Amino acid sequence: MPIDARILGGPAEDNAALVRVDTGSHVSLLLFDCGEGVLSEERPGDIQSIEALFFSHYHMDHVAGFDSFFRHNYNRDDTAVHVLGPAGTMDLMAHRFQGFTWNLHHDQPGVWNVTELDFSQGRADQRVFLAREAFASPSPVSRSELDRQSYRGQKITVVYETEHLRVDAVALPHGNISSMGYRVTTPATVSVNRHVVDSLGIPPGPWLQDLKSDSTENVIQTPNGERDRSELRSAILTENEGESLVYLTDFGIEPDDSEWDRIVQWLAEPDHLICECQYRHAESGNAKQHGHMTAENVGKLAAQSKARRLTLHHVSRRYDAEEQAELLAEAQASFPNARWGWDAAEK
Ligand SMILES: [Zn+2]
Ligand SMILES: [Zn+2]
């Protein structure tokens, strides 16, 4: 599986998700949220390899560990650090960068691309902050339309993209603010079915690359002469859809809400759904009041969106181990393939 994720932090602690996308020739590390202590067990080399940090929102339990991330990466010398989050990201990061005395920074590398997503205005604003300027003179705001792309028959909002992966976002209701949900997908790949090539008696060669290309020519030149391109494509090529992982935290929806159907549709059968699991269903009043999910509804959400696997995190501190087992059972009632993130880490 090219996408792998670990929940950082334990039960009743701040949590985050460290996502690793391994294509076989390249590894990308992405961090989703950065609460207090979430990086304390991570190797410095790994923290320094995180290429992008995505914030769901800026309640303290999701950003209290940022200083640790910053300390490891403020003067990174190879690649820029990307930080993305909802409205307020730019100011909030600027203030965090200014929370230190800077007097030995003039020769320091360190480039930070900070992007603020504003779904209500349909735009993304970005500024670049430099360590050598003590992060004090960021570039002017570069404003762009949010990038809409297609995914499984719907339009999605892509907020970060490299040749190895794509991240799109959705705004979730969390009380009277928005919390960003994120999905990581790997590109679809096309593979060649070698034994079909052999059975057709055409020697392999550069024509196979041509066949995999998106050429619109009707015919293709093979060592055995011209052949019908679409016939060969359907005989020889297999499309492998990319993998998907979704990170959701701090939101509250119920099956009867209008938001429920929108989010089920956006989820679109994720291979792996990581979701908050804050309250027992018996406390749905509390869940509603604080803009969080109940375990029962998390299970239903995973089932209705046809997720393949569900990892739970962000449980309320009020529950002891026994009650956490009950929350898990509530989620598993609708979605048996559910686990707590910290249990998965022990295996
Ligand atoms: Zn929150
Ligand atoms: Zn939270």
Side-chain angles (χ1 to χ4, degrees), residues 57 61-62 250 292 314:
H57 65 307
D61 54 324
H62 297 263
D250 291 53
H292 280 289
H314 205 315

Side-chain angles (χ1 to χ4, degrees), residues 146-163:
L146 286 171
D147 181 13
R148 306 279 283 163
Q149 297 186 19
S150 296
Y151 179 70
R152 297 189 171 172
Q154 61 178 328
K155 285 287 177 199
I156 58 167
T157 304
V158 174
V159 298
Y160 182 79
E161 190 167 20
T162 70
E163 64 179 295

Side-chain angles (χ1 to χ4, degrees), residues 160-172:
Y160 182 79
E161 190 167 20
T162 70
E163 64 179 295
H164 309 292
L165 60 93
R166 175 170 85 166
V167 179
D168 70 288
V170 68
L172 305 165

Side-chain angles (χ1 to χ4, degrees), residues 132-144:
R132 67 168 183 269
E133 296 174 353
F135 300 93
S137 317
S139 66
V141 172
S142 121
R143 178 159 288 176
S144 57

Side-chain angles (χ1 to χ4, degrees), residues 236-252:
I236 292 173
L237 301 183
T238 307
E239 276 250 10
N240 311 298
E241 200 180 28
E243 211 177 299
S244 63
L245 173 139
V246 173
Y247 171 81
L248 304 182
T249 194
D250 291 53
F251 68 111

Side-chain angles (χ1 to χ4, degrees), residues 148-205:
R148 306 279 283 163
Q149 297 186 19
S150 296
Y151 179 70
R152 297 189 171 172
Q154 61 178 328
K155 285 287 177 199
I156 58 167
T157 304
V158 174
V159 298
Y160 182 79
E161 190 167 20
T162 70
E163 64 179 295
H164 309 292
L165 60 93
R166 175 170 85 166
V167 179
D168 70 288
V170 68
L172 305 165
H174 181 35
N176 61 358
I177 65 166
S178 283
S179 173
M180 290 286 164
Y182 295 102
R183 165 173 43 215
V184 184
T185 47
T186 52
T189 56
V190 175
S191 56
V192 171
N193 199 333
R194 279 304 174 109
H195 78 260
V196 176
V197 176
D198 292 345
S199 72
L200 292 170
I202 312 176

